[in-house]
Amino acid sequence: MGESYTKRKIMITGYGTVAKEFVKMINEQKERYRESYGFYAEIVGIIGSKGMIYEEDGIDLVTLLSFGKGSQALGQYAQQKQIYIQAPELKGDVLIECSPTNLETGEPALSYMKAAITKNMDIISVSKGALVQALPELKKLADTNGCRIKYSGATAAALPTLDIGEYSLAGSRITEIEGILNGTSNFILTSMSEDSLSFENALKLAQERGIAEANPALDVQGYDSACKILLLANGLFHKTWTLNDISIEGIEKVSKADMQFAKINGNDIKLVASARSIDGTITLQVKPEIITADNPLMNVKGTNKGILFHTEEMGTICCIGGASHPRGAAAAAIKDMLNLYRG
Amino acid sequence: MGESYTKRKIMITGYGTVAKEFVKMINEQKERYRESYGFYAEIVGIIGSKGMIYEEDGIDLVTLLSFGKGSQALGQYAQQKQIYIQAPELKGDVLIECSPTNLETGEPALSYMKAAITKNMDIISVSKGALVQALPELKKLADTNGCRIKYSGATAAALPTLDIGEYSLAGSRITEIEGILNGTSNFILTSMSEDSLSFENALKLAQERGIAEANPALDVQGYDSACKILLLANGLFHKTWTLNDISIEGIEKVSKADMQFAKINGNDIKLVASARSIDGTITLQVKPEIITADNPLMNVKGTNKGILFHTEEMGTICCIGGASHPRGAAAAAIKDMLNLYRG
């Protein structure tokens, strides 16, 4: 490639840890992306909770990165550059959606995405709320406006899940999907398994290490896993299921005795999100399950994730990895961007 | 999609087990491919060792599939349809290269591919010989003629390897690759490990089950693994290494005692093909290695394969599966075809 390349103006909504990591990667790697993929990303605007910074010819990323994150950093940037914090307005070619996930309303992401689509912007979403609420509607709107939606960052991030189903298994019929899709609950179960901790103590350890949030409900009650299997199953089986179609059980009731009993038999307990064929119907569920020693998911330890695709033509394909950290999530958004525009 | 679709004329070189499976899949699934991927494949010609059958408006697949495989089946088809066996000539839009692998000359695949490229045909290769001999040259020729080369079928087939590196890890820097890339030698080592067989007896078992060929040299001496890591490493690191750049050691010298010693410590022995960074230089090798219990490749059993990608941005990603059978290899060619032309 080298000489000819595609250039797109990028707008980011939300400026938390993942968005900042995305900006950092663009700042460090944009010339490599241009050379290797024939794509040049220019970040022109970032919308935070208190308004947006926007520079038609590109935000000065080095200056921006010298500040922290969130609206405070955007304010400091505006002050340093002597520009105004403007009212939010979607402009440019691509929206990178990184605002906080709200599973009940999907907002503010949903409004941002709709506004972006009506301006013919492609969308790369890292946040899950709007997708869980309204992906079928958003896809229809995107089709009408000739734009595309990618969301690797919302479906287990650095672990390839949707990619494998859509690209690596193209043409093959996927019959069932089983995954360990939440790093926090897997860390807790791994600590219970390997260090004989109770659920409470393992959760405490996860919180001390910054793996679990102060309010760990979304992770340990299984909702995060449910969102991911929902997005994967809808995408790969071409359905429009909602969270209400999923039977969800978290890991809070897994006891030391349950774990000990599993281990006596050489097994383990993991939180499995699945789309399985039961009596000829695909059934979605999230629940703690016994994993036997010969299951490749056995080796998904700590904050790692893993997924199994059962197919008619290619047998069973397992993918493991994607340790949960913000850089991995940002890298998933970068991947989506390069795959949309590479030469 | 549904109404509008892309149609391409397909020519196949070689009509062995994998090619026949490819024809079977097209025959069974072509309408599903058209509906789901907006692509319709019409097989117009098949070249065997004694000439070709060619029908401008598409070969009658049901009739063809009623015969066996190889030149004999092509002859029977010609007789039944009252057409001539013609001198081989590359025609159409896409070449599916399935002729027998010859690692020394790359022929006849190499000549077929060059002829196809000069006629602006895209190439999907299942056979390895020509790619191992001349992929850089073929790629250059393809660039000049505006055509594309895909070869999932030659790089561990149903196990996604190149796909993951190029697509699922787009933008991330791969630092090292380690893989169990040969199903036959992995079956032998698994039998040695689980059933305490000697190499000789495990090989005999593999031959009895039709897993190892009468002449198992390519598999057990490590050459098949070497070809795959060569194609992967050249593709993903943008290099032009040859087989001579790889240190290759097979599994014939792995003894019962070696295996027992590994197992005492909870480890296992696998044939690992790797591209690792040693003193800052990527070094390619194939050799039997100790695999520790925490390595996700530990669970690659029997004829399965597995691969680890170490990356800067996404951590370590492991993919396991792709049980070795002709349907999986044919499915890999179908995948490449759909990814080239999908709507």
Side-chain angles (χ1 to χ4, degrees):
Chain A
M1 286 158 205
E3 299 106 48
S4 92
Y5 61 90
T6 303
K7 179 176 163 180
R8 290 284 184 276
K9 289 182 183 292
I10 311 282
M11 173 154 275
I12 303 173
T13 44
Y15 191 55
T17 317
V18 174
K20 183 167 180 179
E21 200 60 49
F22 180 88
V23 170
K24 211 184 276 178
M25 288 172 77
I26 296 284
N27 182 51
E28 287 166 6
Q29 309 285 331
K30 58 185 182 294
E31 289 304 329
R32 185 172 68 85
Y33 300 151
R34 168 148 64 181
E35 276 167 36
S36 301
Y37 297 91
F39 176 72
Y40 189 81
E42 183 177 69
I43 299 175
V44 293
I46 302 180
I47 299 180
S49 55
K50 292 179 183 154
M52 98 176 164
I53 56 170
Y54 184 82
E55 302 222 53
E56 183 65 36
D57 296 326
I59 284 171
D60 170 0
L61 303 183
V62 175
T63 299
L64 177 63
L65 289 167
S66 73
F67 304 117
K69 57 185 181 174
S71 288
Q72 196 182 9
L74 301 184
Q76 286 168 309
Y77 179 87
Q79 191 168 33
Q80 170 103 10
K81 290 282 173 178
Q82 299 187 292
I83 60 171
Y84 291 106
I85 291 283
Q86 302 179 33
E89 184 189 348
L90 275 296
K91 296 195 245 188
D93 307 305
V94 189
L95 165 63
I96 310 290
E97 215 305 309
C98 299
S99 58
T101 285
N102 179 325
L103 291 185
E104 271 148 45
T105 64
E107 294 297 352
L110 189 52
S111 299
Y112 289 147
M113 288 192 196
K114 286 182 180 170
I117 292 172
T118 57
K119 295 199 170 178
N120 302 103
M121 294 170 73
D122 290 325
I123 290 177
I124 293 167
S125 185
V126 172
S127 66
K128 285 184 261 305
L131 303 175
V132 166
Q133 279 296 325
L135 185 57
E137 181 195 351
L138 288 166
K139 275 188 176 164
K140 201 179 267 182
L141 201 61
D143 276 350
T144 313
N145 286 269
C147 40
R148 297 171 293 178
I149 306 179
K150 298 271 265 181
Y151 46 96
S152 292
T155 53
L159 179 74
T161 53
L162 212 49
D163 289 346
I164 293 190
E166 288 182 343
Y167 193 87
S168 296
L169 300 178
S172 287
R173 284 160 297 185
I174 297 169
T175 52
E176 301 193 319
I177 306 170
E178 301 168 289
I180 296 170
L181 301 178
N182 179 267
T184 302
S185 56
N186 198 55
F187 175 87
I188 292 171
L189 289 174
T190 304
S191 300
M192 291 175 68
S193 171
E194 296 187 348
D195 306 322
S196 301
L197 299 186
S198 65
F199 169 77
E200 290 73 19
N201 286 338
L203 171 60
K204 216 175 125 198
L205 178 67
Q207 285 170 326
E208 281 164 12
R209 298 225 184 139
I211 291 165
E213 293 173 48
N215 177 357
L218 278 186
D219 293 324
V220 302
Q221 291 176 2
Y223 288 98
D224 179 74
S225 298
C227 291
K228 289 170 182 164
I229 194 71
L230 178 72
L231 294 175
L232 286 173
N234 278 344
L236 298 174
F237 294 112
H238 307 288
K239 298 285 189 184
T240 55
W241 287 305
T242 70
L243 276 184
N244 293 329
D245 296 310
I246 310 183
S247 141
I248 306 172
E249 183 187 330
I251 61 169
E252 304 119 301
K253 288 181 194 150
V254 178
S255 68
K256 270 178 90 157
D258 293 334
M259 188 60 89
Q260 272 161 2
F261 183 74
K263 295 201 70 183
I264 286 170
N265 297 299
N267 302 327
D268 210 341
I269 296 177
K270 306 267 186 198
L271 183 64
V272 177
S274 60
R276 294 195 183 109
S277 179
I278 296 178
D279 297 331
T281 310
I282 298 284
T283 303
L284 307 187
Q285 58 184 9
V286 175
K287 70 174 205 285
E289 293 184 6
I290 300 279
I291 299 284
T292 54
D294 58 348
N295 187 327
L297 293 179
M298 189 68 161
N299 266 337
V300 180
K301 302 279 174 70
T303 63
N304 264 333
K305 297 183 279 266
I307 190 160
L308 282 179
F309 294 95
H310 301 274
T311 76
E312 294 271 354
E313 289 82 359
M314 299 220 196
T316 297
I317 303 287
C318 174
C319 198
I320 296 173
S324 313
H325 52 66
R327 196 165 181 79
I334 296 275
K335 161 178 81 172
D336 282 350
M337 181 184 77
L338 295 174
N339 284 333
L340 279 180
Y341 305 109
R342 65 201 292 173
Chain B
M1 285 163 205
E3 299 106 47
S4 91
Y5 62 91
T6 302
K7 179 176 163 180
R8 290 285 183 276
K9 289 180 183 294
I10 310 282
M11 173 154 273
I12 303 173
T13 44
Y15 191 56
T17 317
V18 175
K20 183 168 180 178
E21 201 60 51
F22 180 88
V23 171
K24 210 182 281 178
M25 289 171 77
I26 295 284
N27 181 52
E28 288 166 5
Q29 309 285 331
K30 57 185 184 295
E31 288 304 328
R32 185 171 67 85
Y33 301 150
R34 168 149 62 182
E35 275 168 36
S36 302
Y37 298 91
F39 177 72
Y40 188 80
E42 183 178 68
I43 300 176
V44 294
I46 303 179
I47 299 180
S49 55
K50 291 178 183 154
M52 100 177 162
I53 57 170
Y54 184 83
E55 302 220 53
E56 182 65 37
D57 296 324
I59 284 172
D60 170 0
L61 303 184
V62 175
T63 300
L64 178 62
L65 288 167
S66 72
F67 303 117
K69 58 185 182 175
S71 288
Q72 196 182 5
L74 302 184
Q76 287 167 308
Y77 178 88
Q79 194 168 29
Q80 171 104 11
K81 290 281 172 179
Q82 298 188 293
I83 61 170
Y84 291 106
I85 292 284
Q86 302 179 34
E89 184 190 347
L90 275 296
K91 296 195 245 187
D93 308 305
V94 190
L95 166 61
I96 310 289
E97 216 305 309
C98 298
S99 58
T101 287
N102 179 325
L103 291 184
E104 270 149 43
T105 64
E107 294 298 352
L110 189 52
S111 298
Y112 289 146
M113 290 191 194
K114 286 182 179 171
I117 292 172
T118 58
K119 295 199 170 179
N120 303 103
M121 295 169 73
D122 290 325
I123 291 176
I124 293 166
S125 186
V126 172
S127 67
K128 284 183 261 306
L131 303 176
V132 166
Q133 279 296 323
L135 186 56
E137 182 196 348
L138 287 166
K139 275 188 175 164
K140 201 180 268 178
L141 202 60
D143 276 349
T144 312
N145 287 268
C147 41
R148 298 171 291 177
I149 306 179
K150 298 272 264 180
Y151 45 96
S152 292
T155 52
L159 178 75
T161 53
L162 211 50
D163 289 346
I164 293 191
E166 289 183 342
Y167 193 87
S168 296
L169 301 177
S172 286
R173 283 159 296 185
I174 297 168
T175 52
E176 301 193 318
I177 305 171
E178 300 168 291
I180 296 171
L181 301 178
N182 180 266
T184 302
S185 55
N186 197 55
F187 175 88
I188 292 171
L189 289 173
T190 303
S191 301
M192 291 176 68
S193 171
E194 296 188 348
D195 307 320
S196 301
L197 299 185
S198 65
F199 169 75
E200 290 73 19
N201 287 338
L203 170 59
K204 217 175 122 196
L205 177 67
Q207 285 169 327
E208 283 165 10
R209 298 225 185 140
I211 292 165
E213 294 174 48
N215 177 357
L218 279 185
D219 293 325
V220 302
Q221 291 176 3
Y223 288 98
D224 178 74
S225 299
C227 291
K228 290 170 182 164
I229 194 71
L230 178 72
L231 293 175
L232 286 172
N234 278 345
L236 298 173
F237 295 113
H238 308 287
K239 298 285 187 185
T240 55
W241 287 305
T242 71
L243 277 184
N244 293 328
D245 296 309
I246 310 183
S247 143
I248 305 173
E249 185 187 328
I251 61 169
E252 305 118 301
K253 288 181 194 148
V254 177
S255 68
K256 270 179 87 157
D258 292 337
M259 188 59 88
Q260 272 160 5
F261 183 75
K263 295 202 69 182
I264 287 169
N265 298 299
N267 301 326
D268 210 341
I269 298 177
K270 305 267 185 198
L271 183 63
V272 177
S274 60
R276 294 195 183 108
S277 180
I278 296 178
D279 298 333
T281 310
I282 299 284
T283 303
L284 306 187
Q285 57 183 12
V286 174
K287 69 172 206 284
E289 294 186 4
I290 300 280
I291 299 285
T292 54
D294 59 347
N295 187 328
L297 293 178
M298 188 68 157
N299 266 337
V300 180
K301 302 279 173 72
T303 64
N304 263 333
K305 297 183 279 264
I307 191 161
L308 282 178
F309 293 95
H310 301 274
T311 76
E312 294 270 353
E313 288 83 359
M314 299 219 195
T316 296
I317 304 287
C318 174
C319 197
I320 296 173
S324 311
H325 52 66
R327 195 165 182 81
I334 296 275
K335 160 178 80 174
D336 282 351
M337 181 184 77
L338 295 175
N339 284 333
L340 279 180
Y341 304 109
R342 67 201 291 172

